[in-house]
Protein backbone atom coordinates (compact mmCIF):
# COMPACT_ATOMS: atom_id res chain seq x y z
CA UNK A 1 0.00 0.00 0.00
CA UNK A 2 1.20 3.46 -0.86
CA UNK A 3 -0.70 5.81 1.47
CA UNK A 4 -1.97 6.22 5.03
CA UNK A 5 -5.45 6.37 3.56
CA UNK A 6 -5.05 2.95 1.92
CA UNK A 7 -4.17 1.42 5.29
CA UNK A 8 -7.03 3.14 7.12
CA UNK A 9 -9.55 2.08 4.48
CA UNK A 10 -8.44 -1.55 4.62
CA UNK A 11 -8.81 -1.62 8.41
CA UNK A 12 -12.26 0.03 8.57
CA UNK A 13 -13.46 -2.14 5.66
CA UNK A 14 -12.29 -5.52 6.95
CA UNK A 15 -11.69 -5.43 10.71
CA UNK A 16 -15.25 -5.79 12.00
CA UNK A 17 -15.96 -8.87 9.89
CA UNK A 18 -12.61 -10.36 10.85
CA UNK A 19 -13.18 -9.77 14.57
CA UNK A 20 -16.62 -11.36 14.50
CA UNK A 21 -16.02 -14.30 12.17
CA UNK A 22 -12.34 -14.99 11.48
CA UNK A 23 -9.49 -16.61 13.36
CA UNK A 24 -7.24 -14.20 15.25
CA UNK A 25 -3.95 -16.08 15.03
CA UNK A 26 -1.95 -15.26 11.91
CA UNK A 27 -4.51 -12.87 10.46
CA UNK A 28 -3.15 -10.45 7.85
CA UNK A 29 -4.59 -7.47 9.73
CA UNK A 30 -2.29 -8.31 12.62
CA UNK A 31 0.76 -8.05 10.39
CA UNK A 32 -0.60 -4.84 8.89
CA UNK A 33 -1.06 -3.18 12.30
CA UNK A 34 2.08 -4.54 13.95
CA UNK A 35 4.54 -4.18 11.07
CA UNK A 36 3.36 -2.71 7.77
CA UNK A 37 1.65 0.47 8.98
CA UNK A 38 4.24 1.28 11.69
CA UNK A 39 7.04 0.93 9.13
CA UNK A 40 5.14 3.10 6.66
CA UNK A 41 4.64 5.83 9.26
CA UNK A 42 8.29 5.65 10.28
CA UNK A 43 9.24 6.42 6.70
CA UNK A 44 6.73 9.28 6.46
CA UNK A 45 7.86 10.89 9.71
CA UNK A 46 11.60 10.36 9.32
CA UNK A 47 12.09 13.53 7.28
CA UNK A 48 10.61 15.65 10.09
CA UNK A 49 11.61 13.78 13.23
CA UNK A 50 14.51 11.80 14.63
CA UNK A 51 12.53 8.61 14.37
CA UNK A 52 14.88 6.62 16.62
CA UNK A 53 13.47 8.69 19.51
CA UNK A 54 10.02 7.18 18.95
CA UNK A 55 8.27 3.84 19.21
CA UNK A 56 5.53 3.26 16.63
CA UNK A 57 3.39 0.32 17.64
CA UNK A 58 0.04 -1.05 16.52
CA UNK A 59 -2.21 -3.73 17.98
CA UNK A 60 -5.32 -5.73 17.15
CA UNK A 61 -5.24 -7.45 20.56
CA UNK A 62 -3.25 -9.98 22.54
CA UNK A 63 -4.46 -13.52 21.86
CA UNK A 64 -7.90 -12.27 20.87
CA UNK A 65 -9.40 -9.47 18.79
CA UNK A 66 -9.45 -6.05 20.43
CA UNK A 67 -12.71 -4.13 20.17
CA UNK A 68 -10.77 -0.95 19.44
CA UNK A 69 -7.54 -1.55 17.49
CA UNK A 70 -4.91 1.17 17.78
CA UNK A 71 -1.63 2.46 16.48
CA UNK A 72 0.46 4.62 18.82
CA UNK A 73 3.45 6.92 18.34
CA UNK A 74 5.38 7.26 21.62
CA UNK A 75 8.32 9.49 22.51
CA UNK A 76 10.65 7.09 24.34
CA UNK A 77 11.57 9.71 26.93
CA UNK A 78 7.90 10.04 27.90
CA UNK A 79 6.69 6.45 27.68
CA UNK A 80 7.41 3.12 26.05
CA UNK A 81 3.97 1.63 26.74
CA UNK A 82 0.42 2.70 25.96
CA UNK A 83 -0.54 1.88 29.55
CA UNK A 84 0.83 5.21 30.81
CA UNK A 85 2.12 8.58 29.71
CA UNK A 86 1.09 10.84 26.84
CA UNK A 87 1.32 9.88 23.17
CA UNK A 88 -0.23 10.19 19.72
CA UNK A 89 -2.56 7.34 18.78
CA UNK A 90 -4.93 6.36 15.97
CA UNK A 91 -8.03 4.76 17.50
CA UNK A 92 -10.61 2.83 15.47
CA UNK A 93 -14.18 2.75 16.74
CA UNK A 94 -15.63 -0.64 17.59
CA UNK A 95 -18.21 -0.36 14.78
CA UNK A 96 -15.43 0.68 12.32
CA UNK A 97 -17.39 3.73 11.27
CA UNK A 98 -14.81 6.24 12.54
CA UNK A 99 -11.06 6.65 12.92
CA UNK A 100 -9.66 9.16 15.40
CA UNK A 101 -6.19 10.67 15.33
CA UNK A 102 -5.70 11.63 18.98
CA UNK A 103 -3.28 13.22 21.41
CA UNK A 104 -4.05 10.94 24.30
CA UNK A 105 -2.99 9.32 27.58
CA UNK A 106 -2.56 5.82 28.93
CA UNK A 107 -5.35 4.85 31.32
CA UNK A 108 -4.22 1.52 32.76
CA UNK A 109 -1.93 2.92 35.45
CA UNK A 110 -3.96 6.06 36.25
CA UNK A 111 -7.31 6.64 37.87
CA UNK A 112 -10.15 8.29 35.97
CA UNK A 113 -9.75 11.37 38.15
CA UNK A 114 -6.01 11.58 37.41
CA UNK A 115 -6.22 11.32 33.63
CA UNK A 116 -9.25 13.60 33.26
CA UNK A 117 -7.60 16.24 35.48
CA UNK A 118 -4.43 16.02 33.38
CA UNK A 119 -6.52 16.23 30.20
CA UNK A 120 -8.27 19.39 31.38
CA UNK A 121 -5.01 21.05 32.48
CA UNK A 122 -3.34 20.39 29.13
CA UNK A 123 -6.38 21.58 27.20
CA UNK A 124 -6.29 24.83 29.19
CA UNK A 125 -2.53 25.41 28.91
CA UNK A 126 -1.59 24.17 25.44
CA UNK A 127 -2.25 25.57 21.98
CA UNK A 128 -3.94 22.59 20.34
CA UNK A 129 -4.50 24.28 17.00
CA UNK A 130 -7.56 23.23 15.02
CA UNK A 131 -7.91 19.86 16.73
CA UNK A 132 -11.14 19.21 18.62
CA UNK A 133 -11.04 19.39 22.42
CA UNK A 134 -14.56 18.22 23.28
CA UNK A 135 -15.52 14.86 24.78
CA UNK A 136 -17.45 13.65 21.74
CA UNK A 137 -15.23 10.73 20.74
CA UNK A 138 -17.31 7.59 20.28
CA UNK A 139 -15.18 4.44 20.40
CA UNK A 140 -17.06 1.72 22.24
CA UNK A 141 -20.01 1.04 24.50
CA UNK A 142 -17.83 -0.30 27.32
CA UNK A 143 -14.34 -1.42 28.27
CA UNK A 144 -11.03 0.35 27.88
CA UNK A 145 -12.17 2.04 24.68
CA UNK A 146 -14.62 4.00 26.81
CA UNK A 147 -11.78 5.18 29.06
CA UNK A 148 -9.81 6.40 26.03
CA UNK A 149 -12.75 8.60 25.12
CA UNK A 150 -12.27 10.42 28.44
CA UNK A 151 -8.46 10.52 28.49
CA UNK A 152 -8.25 12.14 25.06
CA UNK A 153 -6.69 15.62 25.04
CA UNK A 154 -7.47 16.56 21.43
CA UNK A 155 -8.39 14.77 18.23
CA UNK A 156 -9.35 14.76 14.58
CA UNK A 157 -12.16 12.49 13.39
CA UNK A 158 -12.28 10.69 10.05
CA UNK A 159 -15.56 9.08 9.02
CA UNK A 160 -14.98 5.70 7.36
CA UNK A 161 -17.46 6.55 4.61
CA UNK A 162 -15.56 9.75 3.81
CA UNK A 163 -12.27 7.86 3.62
CA UNK A 164 -13.72 5.21 1.32
CA UNK A 165 -15.42 7.80 -0.94
CA UNK A 166 -12.24 9.90 -1.28
CA UNK A 167 -13.71 12.86 0.60
CA UNK A 168 -10.58 12.95 2.76
CA UNK A 169 -7.28 13.31 0.93
CA UNK A 170 -3.92 11.77 1.73
CA UNK A 171 -2.57 15.32 2.00
CA UNK A 172 -5.05 16.08 4.82
CA UNK A 173 -4.10 12.90 6.68
CA UNK A 174 -0.38 13.67 6.49
CA UNK A 175 -0.85 17.32 7.45
CA UNK A 176 -2.94 16.34 10.47
CA UNK A 177 -0.34 13.80 11.57
CA UNK A 178 2.50 16.33 11.27
CA UNK A 179 0.48 18.95 13.20
CA UNK A 180 -0.39 16.61 16.06
CA UNK A 181 3.25 15.49 16.23
CA UNK A 182 4.21 19.17 16.60
CA UNK A 183 1.81 19.39 19.54
CA UNK A 184 3.41 16.27 21.03
CA UNK A 185 6.87 17.84 20.65
CA UNK A 186 5.67 21.05 22.33
CA UNK A 187 4.26 19.00 25.17
CA UNK A 188 7.63 17.28 25.60
CA UNK A 189 9.64 20.50 25.52
CA UNK A 190 7.34 22.85 27.43
CA UNK A 191 5.53 20.62 29.92
CA UNK A 192 7.09 17.20 30.32
CA UNK A 193 10.67 18.40 30.78
CA UNK A 194 9.48 21.14 33.16
CA UNK A 195 7.77 18.51 35.29
CA UNK A 196 10.97 16.47 35.35
CA UNK A 197 13.02 19.50 36.30
CA UNK A 198 10.60 20.21 39.14
CA UNK A 199 10.97 16.63 40.37
CA UNK A 200 14.73 17.03 40.44
CA UNK A 201 14.57 20.41 42.18
CA UNK A 202 12.31 19.06 44.92
CA UNK A 203 14.25 15.82 45.19
CA UNK A 204 11.29 13.65 44.24
CA UNK A 205 12.51 10.39 42.75
CA UNK A 206 16.16 11.35 43.28
CA UNK A 207 18.21 9.18 45.61
CA UNK A 208 21.38 10.22 47.44
CA UNK A 209 23.67 8.45 45.00
CA UNK A 210 22.39 10.71 42.18
CA UNK A 211 23.82 13.91 43.65
CA UNK A 212 26.80 13.99 41.31
CA UNK A 213 24.82 13.31 38.12
CA UNK A 214 23.96 15.90 35.50
CA UNK A 215 20.34 16.95 35.04
CA UNK A 216 20.08 14.84 31.89
CA UNK A 217 21.45 11.79 33.68
CA UNK A 218 19.03 12.30 36.57
CA UNK A 219 16.11 12.56 34.14
CA UNK A 220 17.13 9.27 32.59
CA UNK A 221 17.36 7.54 35.97
CA UNK A 222 14.00 8.87 37.12
CA UNK A 223 12.34 7.47 34.01
CA UNK A 224 13.80 3.98 34.35
CA UNK A 225 10.78 2.03 35.56
CA UNK A 226 9.28 -1.37 34.91
CA UNK A 227 7.85 -1.64 31.39
CA UNK A 228 4.54 -3.51 31.47
CA UNK A 229 3.20 -5.08 28.30
CA UNK A 230 0.58 -3.16 26.36
CA UNK A 231 -2.92 -4.48 26.74
CA UNK A 232 -5.70 -4.51 24.12
CA UNK A 233 -8.37 -1.86 24.30
Amino acid sequence: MSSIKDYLIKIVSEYKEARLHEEFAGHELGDLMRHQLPEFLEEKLSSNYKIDNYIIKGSIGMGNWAKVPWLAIMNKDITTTTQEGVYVVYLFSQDMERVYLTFNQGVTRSTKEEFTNNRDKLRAKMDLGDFKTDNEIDLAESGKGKAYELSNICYQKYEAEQLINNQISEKELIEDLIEIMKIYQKYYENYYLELDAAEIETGEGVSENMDDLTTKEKLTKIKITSKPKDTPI
Side-chain angles (χ1 to χ4, degrees):
M1 281 178 247
S2 59
S3 68
I4 296 173
K5 187 165 75 169
D6 287 344
Y7 282 105
L8 298 185
I9 288 173
K10 184 172 180 63
I11 295 163
V12 298
S13 299
E14 299 180 13
Y15 189 87
K16 185 176 179 180
E17 179 70 17
R19 183 173 73 84
L20 294 176
H21 303 294
E22 296 175 19
E23 186 176 347
F24 175 82
H27 200 283
E28 65 169 331
L29 289 175
D31 183 65
L32 184 149
M33 288 291 283
R34 297 186 194 105
H35 303 291
Q36 296 176 37
L37 184 51
E39 289 169 7
F40 184 84
L41 291 180
E42 281 183 10
E43 183 179 344
K44 285 293 180 185
L45 292 171
S46 60
S47 59
N48 297 86
Y49 296 92
K50 190 174 180 180
I51 206 66
D52 288 346
N53 292 344
Y54 294 87
I55 295 171
I56 303 180
K57 180 176 182 178
S59 177
I60 62 168
M62 294 177 63
N64 204 357
W65 295 99
K67 292 179 181 178
V68 179
W70 52 266
L71 187 137
I73 304 170
M74 297 170 277
N75 182 317
K76 293 178 183 177
D77 287 343
I78 297 173
T79 186
T80 57
T81 169
T82 57
Q83 290 192 7
E84 62 183 357
V86 175
Y87 47 86
V88 170
V89 60
Y90 285 97
L91 295 166
F92 297 79
S93 66
Q94 182 175 344
D95 58 14
M96 289 295 130
E97 292 183 5
R98 296 165 301 283
V99 184
Y100 297 93
L101 172 62
T102 74
F103 181 46
N104 218 315
Q105 310 171 78
V107 300
T108 304
R109 305 186 75 185
S110 300
T111 66
K112 179 181 175 181
E113 182 179 10
E114 287 171 341
F115 63 69
T116 54
N117 284 345
N118 193 48
R119 174 202 70 192
D120 293 342
K121 287 177 184 177
L122 291 174
R123 284 179 179 176
K125 290 180 179 180
M126 293 189 69
D127 178 3
L128 299 172
D130 294 329
F131 290 96
K132 299 180 189 300
T133 57
D134 55 44
N135 298 321
E136 300 301 317
I137 284 185
D138 183 10
L139 290 171
E141 295 178 359
S142 60
K144 197 166 290 183
K146 205 70 183 170
Y148 278 96
E149 296 175 1
L150 297 174
S151 63
N152 167 69
I153 300 160
C154 70
Y155 71 95
Q156 181 60 272
K157 177 174 72 171
Y158 308 113
E159 297 282 355
E161 185 177 0
Q162 292 179 330
L163 287 166
I164 293 167
N165 293 330
N166 291 317
Q167 293 173 283
I168 298 170
S169 68
E170 178 71 3
K171 183 173 180 286
E172 288 177 78
L173 294 173
I174 292 174
E175 287 177 351
D176 287 346
L177 179 58
I178 295 299
E179 285 305 307
I180 209 164
M181 288 296 292
K182 288 179 181 177
I183 290 171
Y184 193 22
Q185 183 65 20
K186 288 178 183 176
Y187 165 79
Y188 176 65
E189 294 172 353
N190 299 334
Y191 298 94
Y192 180 78
L193 290 181
E194 284 186 7
L195 290 173
D196 276 341
E199 283 185 1
I200 289 173
E201 189 171 333
T202 60
E204 183 179 345
V206 183
S207 62
E208 293 180 2
N209 62 3
M210 294 173 70
D211 290 343
D212 295 329
L213 299 180
T214 66
T215 298
K216 185 176 181 180
E217 289 169 336
K218 287 178 180 178
L219 289 177
T220 301
K221 277 192 172 291
I222 289 171
K223 294 305 164 189
I224 293 176
T225 58
S226 59
K227 299 179 181 178
K229 293 181 179 179
D230 294 318
T231 53
I233 298 172

